[in-house]
Structure formats: structure tokens, C-alpha cells
Amino acid sequence: MANKGAKKRKEENEKHLNRLQKLIVTVNAIYILVRLSLFFASFTWRHWIGLVVTTFAYKTCFDQIASLAEATYDETGQLIDGGSDLNMGGLCGYLHDIIYITAFVQISSILSDWFWLIYLIIPAFALWKLWELVLYPYFFQKVEPGEEDPRDRKKREKMERKADRAARLSKGR
């Protein structure tokens, strides 16, 4: 029998996915209706490509979020886990950010094609994270084997002194 927390998480995830799905469908419907009905004369092949790109971004991110929210059941069909918390940070937060940026870009691009440039925030942020977490530490913060960082050395020496003091006190008893 599943606990109340797992059932509650499963229900919250279903509501959350439903809200995301409504957002995606609403934004796509507004874009298609307004762009094709009011601004059809300025609708070019670039706009079709933009629609395909945003649809791909929505689908990819939504599918990833849905897989994170997927509940786990045992062989008898009992709920074991209600899925991941969709309000957590990390990858799930980044996926939500991509969906919200895509929605903003898609709606605002109805007014001006220059809003598509906002979409460059996503690869710029990805490059920044790649630099910050992988490239910079790998290339510029190398510690040679056998060398010890001064802070780590001080910490190790302090721990050794504490261990020596504890050993002396235990021998004296």
C-alpha cells in the first residue's frame, strides 16, 4: 500500500503536467491563429521553421518532465513512488525554463521577428554552465598528482592533530 505522500506527489505531478500541457497548447493555438489570420502576408518559411523549432522544444522538454513525473508501481499494481518532485531545481528546473522561454518567444514573435533572438539565451546559458562546471575547472584549476591544495593541507593537519589529541587522551585513561 502506498503512503499518502506518494499518492499526493502523483496527483500534484498530474496537475502540474496538465497545466504545462494547457500552456503549450494555448500558446501554439494563439500563435497559429493570430499569425496565420492577422499577419498571413508576413508569414514566411522562416516562421514555419520557428514553429517547428518551438514545437520540438516543447515536445522534448515536456516528454522529459513527464518521464521525471512518472509513478512507479510494484508487480501487484500498488503505487510505490509518486514520481520526482517537479518543483525541484536542476535539470527539471532547466526544462521548465526552456518551456517558459519558448512560450514567451513564440507569443512575442507575433509582434516582431526580433524576439526570436531571445531564444539565444538558452544556448548561451548552456555554454556558460559548460564553461563553469567542466571546461574552466578542467583546464585552469589542475592540481598535480602529489601536490596538495594549501586549504586541504591545513584541514588534513588539523584533523591529524585532533586524532593525536584523542589518541593521547584515550591512552591516559
Side-chain angles (χ1 to χ4, degrees), residues 120-135:
L120 294 175
I121 289 172
I122 296 169
F125 182 76
L127 287 173
W128 169 254
K129 281 300 194 182
L130 179 69
W131 173 259
E132 179 183 51
L133 299 175
V134 178
L135 298 176

Side-chain angles (χ1 to χ4, degrees), residues 18 77 164:
N18 192 15
D164 289 343

Side-chain angles (χ1 to χ4, degrees), residues 65-167:
I65 292 171
S67 71
L68 288 171
E70 195 171 308
T72 307
Y73 298 92
D74 65 6
E75 54 277 344
T76 63
Q78 296 291 329
L79 181 65
I80 297 173
D81 181 33
S84 297
D85 182 11
L86 296 182
N87 295 321
M88 69 180 171
L91 177 64
C92 191
Y94 295 144
L95 292 171
H96 280 88
D97 292 344
I98 292 172
I99 287 176
Y100 298 139
I101 290 170
T102 301
F104 175 76
V105 166
Q106 195 171 20
I107 288 294
S108 58
S109 69
I110 292 171
L111 303 174
S112 172
D113 289 342
W114 290 103
F115 281 104
W116 286 105
L117 293 176
I118 293 173
Y119 227 25
L120 294 175
I121 289 172
I122 296 169
F125 182 76
L127 287 173
W128 169 254
K129 281 300 194 182
L130 179 69
W131 173 259
E132 179 183 51
L133 299 175
V134 178
L135 298 176
Y136 182 77
Y138 183 75
F139 288 113
F140 299 108
Q141 293 183 348
K142 273 192 176 173
V143 175
E144 294 296 325
E147 275 188 40
E148 193 172 25
D149 187 67
R151 189 173 50 189
D152 291 339
R153 182 181 51 80
K154 287 181 182 179
K155 186 186 260 187
R156 181 185 48 78
E157 289 172 355
K158 183 177 179 181
M159 294 299 284
E160 288 173 357
R161 286 193 302 269
K162 280 185 179 181
D164 289 343
R165 198 174 316 130

